[in-house]
Amino acid sequence: MTPPTVHSAAAPDTVDSGRIAAHLARFAQLTEAGEGCTRLAYTPLEREAHAVFTRHMTGLGLLVHTDPAGNTIAELPGDDDTLGAIGTGSHLDTVPHGGGFDGIAGVAAAMEIAEVVARRGVTHRRKWRFIAFAAEEGARFGQACNGSRMVAGLTGRADLDRLVDRDGRSMAEAMSAVGLHPDRIDDARWRPEDWHAFVELHIEQGEVLQSRGADIGVVDLISGSTRLRVAVHGRATHSGGTPMHLRHDALVVAAQCVTLGDRLARDEKHHGTRVTVGRLEVEPGSITTIPGAVDFSVDIRDVDTVRQRDVARRLAAEFDRIARAHGTSAQIDVLADTSPVLLSAAIAGQVRDSCAALGLSYRVLPSGASHDAQQINRIAPAALVFVPSRNGLSHAPQEFTSAAHIAGGSRVVLETMIRLDAEG
Ligand code: HGY
Ligand code: MN
Ligand code: MN
């Protein structure tokens, strides 16, 4: 069979949705039991997923290494070593009982783009890097984007002891347990002078694209997030023998905190603020005992950095007031705090031009979710390319994005990388 004619740049229509579907199916096998996909940060399952990524990229002839933070980086050398690299990628870990597309779509896209570039002999001046980031989800340790934060210098060695999971295991211990090197994460740092640009493909995790019938989302702004852990301590005692005026009920306090956060985020001054209590644990959790202790999380998101911190401060003060009013106490800790980020308008322009060149409709929109591109944007100008989520569902087993949509997004990322490669 005569080889396909190779353009000076890959004809973006050489992206194959069947290969992308096969990558998605392969990763979907690497999960704990139960509904949906469970492959948490710094677990053996996440490392197995990185091994699948490594085998694919090595098979294509790329140079592949895993850094001390657990990020796996595959590289295609360019013709001119003096030029900054361009990169694409996302993450392979999931939330508990999540879907098979959050993060994974961006890694599958990177694997397919690498295949198109390697097999069709696309010439490129710059180093092209394809990355699977480690531990992007905050579900296990509270902080999100851990692997990308470490390469961006936003998470240091001390944080790895501070961040612990629900079993009290620190991130450093979890990293060591899967063969990584928490003491050497400084070696994983990326140097800005070594980079030209980074483009991440990700599912939208909302339903703007579906409702507008757009193929592609071009993200201009990624929300910030402040995450709190609240431990309410009251007095556990008999539910029958204790009259109402003598109670110190930790769950009544927590319930008022939950509804306060929801009410604040819905008032007219907080359009764009989102407050969520996703985890709440009650002790002793017995039908005939007044709850003595409640531990819950608060996830505060906003596109406005000042308002985001103001909401966190106000909620902390209000939670403390409510706790005292019930003769209980509230310990409030900040688990993580990331600012909103305005992405590169120049690269977003390249993405829009790529959509136009490929005949794909697009819409510019903010991202409510946090992403690795948000952290990498500190190192190199970054772009975030969304593909539609069915009915906007994500972080749930019903999460779905078609391989065809991911292939369309992959073509846009490839076309954008070709344009970025030619810059400067
Ligand atoms: O929590 C987030 O926004 C992302 O899924 N890590
Ligand atoms: Mn994600
Ligand atoms: Mn996620």
Side-chain angles (χ1 to χ4, degrees):
M1 181 186 86
T2 46
T5 47
V6 176
H7 308 278
S8 61
D13 61 4
T14 49
V15 165
D16 180 311
S17 61
R19 285 198 297 257
I20 289 173
H23 296 322
L24 296 168
R26 179 70 188 86
F27 289 120
Q29 293 169 347
L30 302 173
T31 176
E32 291 178 23
E35 263 209 301
C37 198
T38 302
R39 189 167 61 239
L40 300 186
Y42 294 130
T43 59
L45 279 170
E46 184 194 34
R47 302 323 303 166
E48 265 189 72
H50 279 247
V52 169
F53 176 76
T54 297
R55 282 195 295 276
H56 176 78
M57 293 304 201
T58 306
L60 294 174
L62 279 75
L63 308 170
V64 189
H65 78 281
T66 295
D67 70 17
N71 303 303
T72 303
I73 299 152
E75 181 173 292
L76 273 173
D79 297 340
D80 183 346
D81 211 29
T82 65
L83 295 174
I86 52 179
T88 187
S90 193
H91 62 94
L92 287 171
D93 61 313
T94 75
V95 297
H97 309 297
F101 302 87
D102 172 357
I104 301 122
V107 175
M111 293 164 78
E112 175 59 10
I113 291 166
E115 180 140 4
V116 170
V117 174
R119 292 202 187 290
R120 287 164 178 71
V122 174
T123 55
H124 48 95
R125 302 158 66 227
R126 300 172 180 278
K127 291 180 280 293
W128 284 31
R129 290 178 181 147
F130 305 88
I131 297 117
F133 288 106
E136 191 274 351
E137 295 293 356
R140 182 176 179 190
F141 295 100
Q143 178 165 281
C145 305
N146 295 289
S148 50
R149 285 176 62 89
M150 287 179 218
V151 304
L154 292 165
T155 288
R157 175 64 185 82
D159 297 311
L160 309 184
D161 294 330
R162 171 178 64 82
L163 294 163
V164 295
D165 66 12
R166 64 189 336 165
D167 302 324
R169 189 170 219 193
S170 74
M171 190 178 287
E173 289 164 342
M175 291 172 75
S176 300
V178 292
L180 298 172
H181 309 283
D183 293 335
R184 287 186 15 227
I185 59 167
D186 284 348
D187 298 343
R189 292 283 297 273
W190 292 2
R191 297 176 308 124
E193 60 273 20
D194 190 24
W195 283 88
H196 180 63
F198 178 80
V199 185
E200 179 175 5
L201 179 147
H202 202 284
I203 59 172
E204 179 198 343
Q205 300 177 298
E207 57 185 315
V208 171
L209 298 183
Q210 176 178 283
S211 61
R212 302 294 196 286
D215 301 313
I216 301 290
V218 184
V219 177
D220 53 3
L221 168 66
I222 302 179
S223 288
S225 69
T226 300
R227 299 178 184 177
L228 307 176
R229 178 188 173 185
V230 184
V232 180
H233 294 286
R235 190 178 65 182
T237 184
H238 200 291
S239 61
T242 313
M244 296 310 286
H245 69 286
L246 294 181
R247 294 178 175 217
H248 305 286
D249 187 329
L251 185 52
V252 167
V253 169
Q256 292 184 15
C257 293
V258 172
T259 50
L260 170 70
D262 184 76
R263 196 167 55 248
L264 181 69
R266 293 174 190 273
D267 77 21
E268 69 288 345
K269 292 197 297 298
H270 288 91
H271 183 68
T273 304
R274 280 136 289 149
V275 176
T276 311
V277 174
R279 180 187 61 76
L280 184 142
E281 286 156 13
V282 184
E283 285 184 11
S286 162
I287 190 169
T288 56
T289 305
I290 298 168
V294 173
D295 195 288
F296 64 91
S297 63
V298 186
D299 180 356
I300 301 157
R301 308 279 179 114
D302 211 317
V303 293
D304 175 326
T305 186
V306 173
R307 190 172 58 187
Q308 173 187 327
R309 274 68 183 224
D310 178 56
V311 165
R313 271 192 298 276
R314 281 182 60 187
L315 289 182
E318 283 298 298
F319 291 175
D320 185 59
R321 181 187 59 74
I322 294 168
R324 292 173 189 277
H326 287 264
T328 66
S329 67
Q331 167 68 38
I332 302 160
D333 295 311
V334 177
L335 288 177
D337 183 70
T338 299
S339 297
V341 162
L342 204 53
L343 293 176
S344 160
I347 304 185
Q350 294 277 36
V351 173
R352 292 200 308 272
D353 292 346
S354 299
C355 291
L358 294 168
L360 291 170
S361 60
Y362 68 85
R363 185 175 180 84
V364 176
L365 75 170
S367 170
S370 53
H371 295 285
D372 291 311
Q374 184 172 10
Q375 321 308 329
I376 299 304
N377 194 60
R378 263 179 70 109
I379 297 292
L384 183 58
V385 176
F386 273 171
V387 288
S389 290
R390 185 171 62 187
N391 303 328
L393 294 175
S394 181
H395 280 194
Q398 297 76 16
E399 180 181 279
F400 179 80
T401 296
S402 70
H405 270 140
I406 298 169
S410 304
R411 292 187 186 98
V412 169
V413 173
L414 173 55
E415 178 69 21
T416 303
M417 290 177 77
I418 290 168
R419 291 163 181 264
L420 293 167
D421 189 76
E423 285 181 343

